[in-house]
């Protein structure tokens, strides 16, 4: 344990006055009503005045001056009257909720109010951070004071400026500092207590907000739908949800419903965040504030990582590598663990921002747009470089010896002892990685390191952690927590050489069926907890970077794995002839047609079971199996052809319609067929099966996407037949927006006008699509890469 000096005591506010609490609880505060009043006030101002971000301003000027928003005036008056008790009231249950509302209303329309709020809380920040209700107020204040005002009324009208100055005259007479200085002063109060706040259930949340503000970043949902561009960030987005403290209605406790399959409801939605540049006031964008905030950020991180006042280098303090201690224990702490994860991500982001160029900016936009919840595609994290602060922190967390070279060439697996030699060179790292993999919070930290580290260090972690060893990898895969680390390792593989190493280990693990039909010890209550996530990530890795040989090995291993579990689950004792047949089947594996129903977890439903009906039966697919099948459809043509034909053959029309009308099935399976390399073959097979039911799908929320993509993938003759079928259901298609979209994309009305008009419409659509592809650059990189490889081979042969 690192020796620390005793932390100083922090100031504690007095208990709030009961009369003031009653006064606050009686205030009729409404942020939405205040926003409407301010908007009406701005609209009645002369058109020469400034407007808010929404552009709300009238075209007429009124002779009578507009009335200042009464709710906003009451907010300023309330804040000025309780400024001496603001910290005390923030730590009371009911008054803290009112304080948050007052802060949001005042800071939304006044920069002077932000200065007043920060000045009132000066000296009490550490205590508020450790308080149940005060921590909520602290987070709301920090987020609101740095945000841009929706409209700063002080710059709009002299009357508004006079009202604000009169409300806070008692505070302004003391000549308080400017807003950036007040914010830095407040955050400096937290620096001595950063180590204590990191493990506090309330303080860690305030510390995360403070670190994000100093780094000028915020974490947003990677899968959030596109919002309204005209809406203010105070009404939509992370700032709208910045209010933490809310009084919830007291309801009777009810039993939680059983967990449903992923992809069926929004309750099972995977929460993934990405970092976004924080939109702040111009005062917080000056070079001086940025420089001071970076210094303070580094000081806070040094306190959290026990390196304050010491030279911090990669691998520990100085050149010495410390054994696992309190810092490693905090990686698994429920409060400190998420904080350390956020620090690594922020430091990686800052390192990438410091060396960002125009090319990196365009790459960043492209990466942020690749996140896909249905396919489980995670946004790419920014990677830190060698010698950065992020690398020093990672080395200290893993007890990594920086003197050991971790280049890619030093980790080539030429023999069986390479992995063992690397583990010997790292005295503590192997045990630390092994321990973190089995902890719920520590495993997430390790996954973050795998996503943010450079390519050479990723390979070094795999060597030191034993991920290239079949026995160790099997142990990881069987564990209820470590199997997610294995998925992260596969998802972040950096080279084809790594893929070959992983496939070599995973082939034997997959072909015995142990991860397909897992029956080992698990903390969950499910007796047959499968590890299909590993299968999914393996297929994803092989489709993205694996060679044709790697793809063939893993797909044949999957077939043999299903043959293995099918033979072990059969309770009947076969005769000698049947036993020989099963041995041959197990050696060769099941066919693609037999594997697909097992992979998706959905059996072809008969008419008696409702398979021919469109409603009444809910479709349930295995998310990992559906995603694995999506990537199998992107394997080489020799390997995927049987799976494409087998999928269309094994399911009837009713099942295909239900899959096409399901969110997960449509995105993973149908898009894999119609957007993948086998779309020319798959489109003809699907059209033959779905013919007669396309009008129904064309009017459905999810199914109409399949109809549009099917139309685009078909040749001209089948396109004409599809347009003819849709033209016979104009009333149904015109009844909703989905059907009308299909009518436009498939040129249904033009088809009724004649063949020439229909072909002209298709040619116009194709020209538009090609123009968009040229702008986005879709499919150009692959074609250029293929042509480049061919040219290079020709030149080499010619030479």
């Amino acid at each position: 344990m690192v020796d620390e000096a005793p932390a100083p005591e922090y100031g504690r506010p007095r208990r709030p006055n009961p009369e003031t609490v009653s006064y606050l609880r009686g205030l009729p505060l409404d942020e939405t009503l205040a926003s409407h009043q301010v908007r009406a006030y701005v609209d009645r101002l002369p058109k020469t005045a400034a407007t808010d971000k929404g552009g709300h301003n009238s075209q007429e000027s009124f002779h009578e001056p507009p009335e200042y928003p009464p709710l906003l005036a009451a907010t300023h008056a309330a804040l000025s009257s309780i400024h001496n008790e603001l910290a005390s009231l923030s730590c009371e249950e009911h008054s803290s909720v009112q304080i948050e509302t007052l802060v949001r209303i005042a800071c939304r329309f006044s920069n002077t109010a932000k200065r007043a709020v920060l000045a009132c809380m000066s000296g009490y920040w550490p205590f508020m951070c450790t308080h149940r209700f005060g921590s909520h107020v602290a987070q709301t204040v920090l987020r609101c004071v740095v945000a841009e005002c929706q409209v700063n009324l002080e710059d709009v009208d002299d009357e508004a400026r006079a009202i604000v100055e009169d409300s806070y005259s008692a505070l302004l007479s003391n000549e308080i500092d400017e807003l950036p200085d007040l914010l830095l002063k407040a955050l400096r109060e937290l620096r001595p207590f950063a180590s204590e706040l990191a493990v506090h259930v309330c303080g860690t949340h305030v510390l995360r907000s403070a670190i994000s503000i100093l780094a000028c970043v915020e974490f947003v949902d990677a899968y959030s739908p596109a919002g309204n561009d005209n809406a203010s960030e105070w009404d939509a987005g992370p700032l709208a949800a910045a209010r933490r403290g809310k009084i919830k209605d007291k309801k009777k406790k009810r039993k939680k419903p059983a967990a449903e399959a992923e992809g069926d409801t929004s309750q099972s939605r995977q929460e993934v965040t990405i970092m976004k540049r924080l939109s702040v006031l111009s005062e917080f964008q000056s070079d001086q504030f940025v420089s001071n905030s970076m210094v303070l950020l580094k000081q806070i991180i040094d306190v959290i990582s026990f390196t304050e006042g010491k030279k911090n280098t990669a691998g520990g303090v100085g050149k010495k590598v410390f054994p696992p201690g309190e810092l490693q224990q905090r990686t698994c702490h429920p409060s400190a663990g998420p904080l350390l994860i956020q620090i690594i991500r922020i430091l990686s982001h800052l390192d990438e921002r410091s060396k960002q160029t125009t090319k990196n900016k365009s790459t960043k936009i492209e990466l942020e747009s690749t996140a896909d919840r249905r396919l489980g595609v995670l946004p790419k994290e920014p990677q830190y470089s060698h010698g950065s602060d992020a690398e020093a922190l990672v080395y200290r967390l893993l007890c990594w010896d920086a003197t050991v070279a971790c280049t890619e060439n030093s980790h080539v697996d030429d023999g069986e002892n390479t992995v063992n030699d690397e583990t010997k060179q790292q005295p503590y790292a192997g045990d630390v990685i092994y321990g973190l993999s089995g902890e719920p919070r520590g495993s997430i930290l390790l996954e973050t390191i795998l996503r943010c580290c450079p390519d050479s260090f990723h390979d070094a972690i795999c060597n030191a952690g034993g991920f290239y060893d079949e026995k160790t990898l099997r142990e990881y895969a069987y564990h209820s927590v470590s199997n997610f680390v294995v998925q992260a390792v596969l998802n972040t593989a950096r080279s084809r050489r790594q893929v070959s190493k992983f496939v070599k280990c995973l082939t034997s693990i997959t072909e015995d069926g142990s991860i397909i039909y897992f029956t080992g010890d698990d903390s969950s209550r499910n007796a047959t907890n499968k590890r299909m996530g590993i299968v999914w990530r393996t297929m994803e890795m092989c489709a993205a970077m694996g060679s044709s040989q790697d793809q063939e090995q893993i797909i044949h291993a999957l077939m043999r794995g299903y043959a293995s579990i099918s033979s072990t689950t059969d309770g009947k004792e076969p005769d000698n002839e049947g036993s020989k047949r099963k041995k041959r089947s197990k050696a060769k594996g099941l066919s693609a047609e037999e594997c697909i129903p097992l992979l998706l977890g959905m059996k072809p439903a008969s008419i008696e079971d409702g398979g021919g009906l469109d409603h009444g039966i809910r479709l349930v697919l295995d998310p990992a199996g559906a995603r694995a099948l999506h990537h199998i459809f992107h394997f080489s043509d020799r390997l995927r052809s049987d799976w494409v034909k087998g999928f269309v053959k094994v399911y009837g029309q009713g099942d295909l319609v239900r899959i096409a009308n399901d969110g997960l099935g449509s995105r993973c399976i149908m898009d894999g067929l119609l957007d993948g390399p086998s779309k020319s073959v798959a489109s003809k097979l699907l059209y033959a099966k779905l013919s007669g039911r396309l009008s129904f799908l064309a009017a459905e929320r999810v199914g109409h996407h399949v109809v549009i993509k099917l139309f685009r993938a078909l040749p001209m003759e089948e396109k004409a037949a599809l347009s003819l079928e849709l033209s016979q259901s104009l009333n149904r298609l015109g009844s909703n927006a989905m059907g009308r979209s299909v009518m436009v994309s498939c040129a249904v009305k033009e088809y009724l006008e004649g063949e020439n008009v229909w072909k002209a419409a298709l040619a116009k659509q194709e020209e538009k699509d090609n123009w968009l592809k040229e702008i986005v650059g879709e499919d150009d990189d692959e074609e250029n890469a293929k042509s480049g490889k061919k040219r290079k081979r020709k030149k080499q042969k010619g030479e």
Side-chain angles (χ1 to χ4, degrees), residues 180 206 389 510 533 541 549 552 572 594 632 701 717 731:
V206 183
D389 294 335
T510 305
M541 175 186 66
Q549 182 179 2
E552 184 176 7
K572 296 182 180 181
E594 296 172 312
I632 291 176
R701 181 180 61 87
E717 294 182 1
N731 293 334

Side-chain angles (χ1 to χ4, degrees), residues 538-555:
T538 304
M539 298 301 174
E540 180 186 39
M541 175 186 66
C542 292
M545 293 191 300
S547 62
S548 178
Q549 182 179 2
D550 296 332
Q551 295 175 0
E552 184 176 7
Q553 289 179 1
I554 196 63
I555 202 169

